[in-house]
Structures are given as structure tokens and as C-alpha cells.
Amino acid sequence: MSKTHVRFVCSHCGAFQSKWMGKCPDCGEWNSLSEQVVRDVGEDRHRPLVVRDDDESPLVVPVGDIQPDASSRWPSGLPEFDRVLGGGIVPGSAVLIGGDPGIGKSTLLLQAGQAMAALGHKTLYITSEESLGQVRLRSDRLTAGATEHETLREIGTTASGKSRSRSGSPRKAESPTELLVSAQANLDIISNILSKERPDVVVIDSVQMVYRPDVAAAPGSAAQLRDAAARLIWLAKQMGFALILVGHVTKDGAIAGPKILEHLVDCVIYFEGDRYHAHRLIRGVKNRFGSTDEIGIFEMTSSGLIGVDDPSRMFLATQRQARPGSVVLSACEGTRTLLVEVQALTSQSVFGSAKRKATGVDANRVSMILAVLEKHGDVVLGDQDVFVNIVGGVRVNEPAADLAVALAVHGALTGRSLPESTVVCGELGLGGELRSVSHQRQRMAEAQRIGFRTMIIPSATGRGKTPPTGATRENMNLLTCETLAHAIRHLS
Ligand code: TYD
Ligand code: MG
């Protein structure tokens, strides 16, 4: 007879403990352990499992004999979302979307859901947080204009026209191009709905609120979340529908609940930026079916999220004149190049310990850049508070931003600025040398398209990749620099 025992699981990191503690010893989170009852496997665990190997379904096959999955992708109707997904959503896959409250998760998924339904996929939007009436209100705000897909635009108008012609209580959809909505949080009911409706795409907004009535723990607790997510993902694989889960984030920005949620799904997408800006960024942090370099950029309007075609122009809307402490960076995110403004401010620190604050760039990277500046840039920053910000809530993760940050800080401190319409990119080495960056040509082309005429780039010494200083390429004046000190000379 199998016995049971009790263990405690941390809702923050998913670690197990044998006894309750106020603070999780693994991640340091307070009050995050909750009780879980587990059935012991006992002696059976050591008995070898006998499996039969037959000709029809061999257990092991040479890789060349495997039939590749047709793995078609369904466009979501939002090209920016598709870009992050790697070209569309894969049937049978599970996607987890996280982001701060109010950032636009529900809006994005309702738009994508309506668009996918309009494209002919039976789409079911299950809301566990809002009522049907609230979903309807939101859907009324979203217009077919927010869905940029050309074919969709034609079908979408008819579909949304139909939905608006009637009002009142929910009714059964008559057209396959209409989104189906259900307000349910009980996992057993959701499973029944899924078996009955057999949808192509299922959105669960949010997975934290979904619960199993037979599990005693509260919705959102580690035990509930683990069960709910695992069962939904299993159903997605079994029935072949594409599953999109919305996950809440903690105050630190990680998707709440055990890390296991991120391991279970095929794709994890985070919303970036803050809700006080009009633009929203989505970034893939895990993708089993595509690259994680891509970002999608949207603008939040009164009629929902609209994809931004020309982000460089949007982010540089205000940056036109040369200003100390402001440098334009040509950044590369996946296959897309965008120009962003890096701003820095220095001020005399008052309390003896200088503050360093970075928004949009890695704070550790900024500390390193400041150290290199002190050593090789002939400035003293020890008594200065330094603030670095990328304008518009964009986050730049690549080291190619180093030179722009360094020049912005140096300029802010010395009151010098780069000549007008100059754009910068380059990685900084600890010895003060500049290292060449990837996609130089695309960065240059983007800068030129926006109307920049001068570009400060690292010289690829010895490799003959870039022409010498002052040379022009494609009507761009290239200022190649070997070291940080070299680049600083262009500040005036
Ligand atoms: P929401 O999508 O509910 O965010 P989340 O699900 O991530 O919590 O809401 C996003 C915000 O966007 C909300 O504050 C209202 C605003 N909004 C618009 O500006 N335009 C719109 O068309 C909609 C639907 C929402
Ligand atoms: Mg929401």
C-alpha cells in the first residue's frame, strides 16, 4: 500500500523543503512555502520497467528515418507578435506570456484571438479574471484596424460587424470567424469545454487563477499552478491545439510561481517597457521553434495595440539637436535595427556614496563602462551620481551600446556633445579598446535611412573591414576609432 508524506514547495523558485520555514533557503523569499501531500512510490520504483519493442513502433530510431513534423505555423494576425513567435504560432505548442499588470497582455491576446478566429482557426479565449461583459467591452474598443493582416482586414470587418449587430447575453457563435469566449477558472470545466469544442487555439488569461477543485491549495499557489499548467499543456499536445497562457509577474519581474512553468512551455514571451509609455515591447526569452533575439514593438492606442513599422522614427521623435549627455545608438535586435537615444546625467553626489542608476541597459555593464571611462577617459566619476536611460522604455541588451553609454556619460560630465546627426555603435573592452560589432552594414543603412550622416564605429584593425577615418560609404561619413579616448575626441 502506498503511503503519503508531506513536503513544502516554494512558490517563488519551486524548491522542495522537508519542513516549513518562514524563508526559503534556496531563493531567500519570505513566506513562500506551502504544504503539498505526495504519494510515496515505495519499492516499485526500483523494479525495472518492461517495455516491448515492435517493428511498427520501435522505441529507438535513426534520426534520418524520422518523418519531420509538417509544423505549419498559423499567423496570429499581428505581424509583430508573429515575429517574436518565430513566424507564427505552432499547433500543439504552449506559449507563456508574462508582463506587469496593465501592460497589455489581455489586449494583445484578445486582438490576436480575434484575428486568428477571423483567419479561420477556431479560437477559444478563456478568461479566469474578467467577466464576459468585461471581455465584450474590451473587444468593442478594439477595431479591425488594429489587426494589420491584409486578408484578415477583409474577413475581420465582416466578422466584427456581425458581433456588434447584436448585444446582450452571450450566445453561441454562428460563424467560425468569431472568437469564442468563456469565463471559467475551474480546470475540470475547462478540460470539458476543450474536449467538447475541440478548438485550434486556446488562450488562458490567466493561468494563475485556474484551479483544480480537488486540490486544497489556493489558486495561484505552486501546487495549483503546477497542476493546472501541466494539465493544460498535456491537453494541448494531445488534442493538437495551440495554447497561449498568460502568467503574472512578481515584483522582481519574473513570471510568478515556480520556475517550472517556464520549463514546461515551448515559448516564453515578456512584455517590456512600462505602462506609462505608449509603446510596448515584447521579447522572446525562450523559443523552441525560433530565435529569441526578436522583439515586437507596439503602440497602445485607444483602439488597442498597433504594430510599429518604423520604431527608429518613433524613438527618435524628439532627438534632433546635439545635446551634451545625449547620444544616438544604432542598436540591433534580432533581424531588426533601430535607432535609440541614450541619455546620461551626472550630478555631484551629496551623501558620499555615489549613486548609479540605469534604465534600459544592464546596470552591471554601466558600472564596467564607468570604470573604463575613469581609467581611459580621463574623468573622475567617484564623486558623481550617474543616471543612464534609454529613451522610450526600450531595453538594449547588446554590448554594442557600450560606446554610446560611455560618450553620453562623458558628454554629460564635461558638457560636450557629438556633432549633430551623428550615430554611434561599438563594444568597449576593459583596456579601453573598441571592439567591432555585428551587423555593421545594417546599422549604417538604418542610420542613413533616418537621415544621419556621420557614424562613429570601432575600427576593425588588421581585418580591413572598415575604411579609414573620414572615408565615406553609401554617403555616410564613417569615423573609425580604435580606442575610447579616440572616440571621446569627437565630443566638442
Ligand atoms: P490590459 O490588456 O488589461 O493589461 P494586462 O492584461 O496586461 O493587465 O490593459 C492594458 C492597458 O491598456 C489598460 O490600462 C487599458 C489600456 N488600453 C488602451 O489604452 N486601449 C485599449 O484599446 C485597451 C483595450 C486598453
Ligand atoms: Mg489582463
Side-chain angles (χ1 to χ4, degrees):
M1 203 182 81
S2 64
K3 286 191 214 154
T4 57
H5 77 267
V6 169
R7 68 181 178 183
F8 295 85
V9 59
C10 170
S11 61
H12 188 247
C13 67
F16 297 112
Q17 311 298 336
S18 55
K19 60 180 181 76
W20 190 86
M21 280 173 264
K23 183 180 177 184
C24 171
D26 283 358
C27 68
E29 189 73 5
W30 285 94
N31 218 6
S32 60
L33 295 192
S34 57
E35 190 177 308
Q36 213 179 41
V37 179
V38 244
R39 224 184 67 210
D40 294 338
V41 185
E43 298 281 296
D44 286 357
R45 160 169 45 165
H46 303 295
R47 196 180 302 154
L49 177 70
V50 182
V51 281
R52 239 175 252 131
D53 198 355
D54 53 48
D55 287 346
E56 275 177 25
S57 54
L59 291 170
V60 181
V61 279
V63 68
D65 293 357
I66 306 171
Q67 282 299 316
D69 268 351
S71 93
S72 54
R73 286 176 187 268
W74 297 332
S76 70
L78 304 170
E80 292 293 312
F81 188 32
D82 289 341
R83 180 198 289 271
V84 178
L85 286 170
I89 190 157
V90 178
S93 72
V95 179
L96 177 67
I97 298 195
D100 289 339
I103 194 106
K105 302 181 291 296
S106 306
T107 309
L108 175 78
L109 294 181
L110 194 61
Q111 272 180 253
Q114 285 182 331
M116 281 191 278
L119 287 167
H121 305 296
K122 186 171 181 181
T123 309
L124 180 56
Y125 180 95
I126 300 178
T127 171
S128 54
E129 294 184 347
E130 292 173 289
S131 67
L132 288 175
Q134 283 170 323
V135 176
R136 172 67 197 263
L137 271 181
R138 189 196 296 272
S139 120
D140 281 351
R141 286 181 71 178
L142 309 171
T143 59
T147 55
E148 301 128 81
H149 219 264
E150 274 313 312
T151 37
L152 174 79
R153 208 169 273 174
E154 293 155 31
I155 316 165
T157 0
T158 21
S160 57
K162 261 182 211 159
S163 79
R164 255 152 246 181
S165 60
R166 296 197 200 173
S167 58
S169 58
R171 63 201 159 82
K172 266 201 161 283
E174 290 152 14
S175 141
T177 59
E178 243 184 315
L179 176 71
L180 302 173
V181 187
S182 172
Q184 288 297 343
N186 185 326
L187 189 59
D188 292 340
I189 301 179
I190 293 177
S191 306
N192 282 340
I193 296 175
L194 295 179
S195 324
K196 195 169 144 263
E197 294 286 340
R198 294 266 158 188
D200 298 325
V201 182
V202 177
V203 177
I204 308 275
D205 186 3
S206 68
V207 66
Q208 259 94 1
M209 296 300 286
V210 173
Y211 67 93
R212 263 182 71 170
D214 54 332
V215 175
S221 62
Q224 286 282 15
L225 193 55
R226 195 187 295 247
D227 262 22
R231 187 144 145 212
L232 287 165
I233 292 164
W234 184 81
L235 284 172
K237 309 267 173 215
Q238 286 288 308
M239 296 192 213
F241 60 79
L243 176 69
I244 307 177
L245 301 171
V246 173
H248 290 172
V249 296
T250 59
K251 58 183 187 302
D252 309 327
I255 291 184
K259 262 279 185 216
I260 197 162
L261 213 55
E262 291 192 16
H263 295 298
L264 284 175
V265 296
D266 300 304
C267 184
V268 180
I269 295 174
Y270 275 100
F271 260 93
E272 280 183 11
D274 64 63
R275 59 197 164 117
Y276 304 108
H277 281 112
H279 26 266
R280 308 281 199 267
L281 266 85
I282 51 170
R283 189 191 295 272
V285 292
K286 167 183 173 179
N287 194 349
R288 285 189 184 144
F289 312 112
S291 132
T292 51
D293 295 333
E294 295 291 348
I295 56 167
I297 306 175
F298 293 97
E299 193 176 352
M300 179 62 92
T301 67
S302 55
S303 55
L305 291 162
I306 294 180
V308 175
D309 296 330
D310 194 350
S312 297
R313 273 192 213 282
M314 188 180 76
F315 291 128
L316 290 181
T318 52
Q319 216 286 343
R320 280 285 155 227
Q321 290 150 2
R323 260 183 289 137
S326 158
V327 172
V328 178
L329 160 74
S330 187
C332 232
E333 292 288 344
T335 54
R336 154 189 271 176
T337 319
L338 61 151
L339 301 189
V340 288
E341 183 188 348
V342 181
Q343 287 188 341
L345 176 71
T346 58
S347 75
Q348 188 74 39
S349 82
V350 275
F351 298 115
S353 66
K355 267 190 276 183
R356 273 91 178 85
K357 291 266 181 249
T359 318
V361 269
D362 181 25
N364 291 330
R365 193 87 198 167
V366 171
S367 302
M368 182 215 91
I369 296 168
L370 297 185
V372 176
L373 257 178
E374 284 219 316
K375 192 88 179 165
H376 304 279
D378 208 16
V379 283
V380 179
L381 292 159
D383 57 348
Q384 298 285 326
D385 290 341
V386 180
F387 304 91
V388 178
N389 180 31
I390 307 262
V391 178
V394 205
R395 197 170 167 84
V396 181
N397 293 329
E398 55 164 1
D402 292 356
L403 181 59
V405 173
L407 291 180
V409 173
H410 197 287
L413 188 70
T414 56
R416 286 150 64 191
S417 58
L418 286 176
E420 210 164 295
S421 64
T422 302
V423 62
V424 166
C425 68
E427 182 182 340
L428 209 55
L430 292 181
E433 78 281 9
L434 290 184
R435 301 220 192 96
S436 55
V437 294
S438 60
H439 305 103
Q440 189 71 74
R441 200 170 272 278
Q442 283 102 303
R443 292 175 202 264
M444 213 183 297
E446 179 70 1
Q448 202 177 14
R449 187 179 70 81
I450 302 294
F452 285 84
R453 291 188 301 276
T454 310
M455 189 161 182
I456 299 182
I457 52 170
S459 62
T461 335
R463 282 184 260 165
K465 272 188 178 168
T466 35
T469 300
T472 53
R473 184 190 279 183
E474 295 151 8
N475 303 325
M476 192 74 150
N477 184 23
L478 295 180
L479 304 174
T480 56
C481 302
E482 265 172 48
T483 59
L484 174 64
H486 220 134
I488 288 172
R489 276 186 235 146
H490 293 293
L491 289 165
S492 57

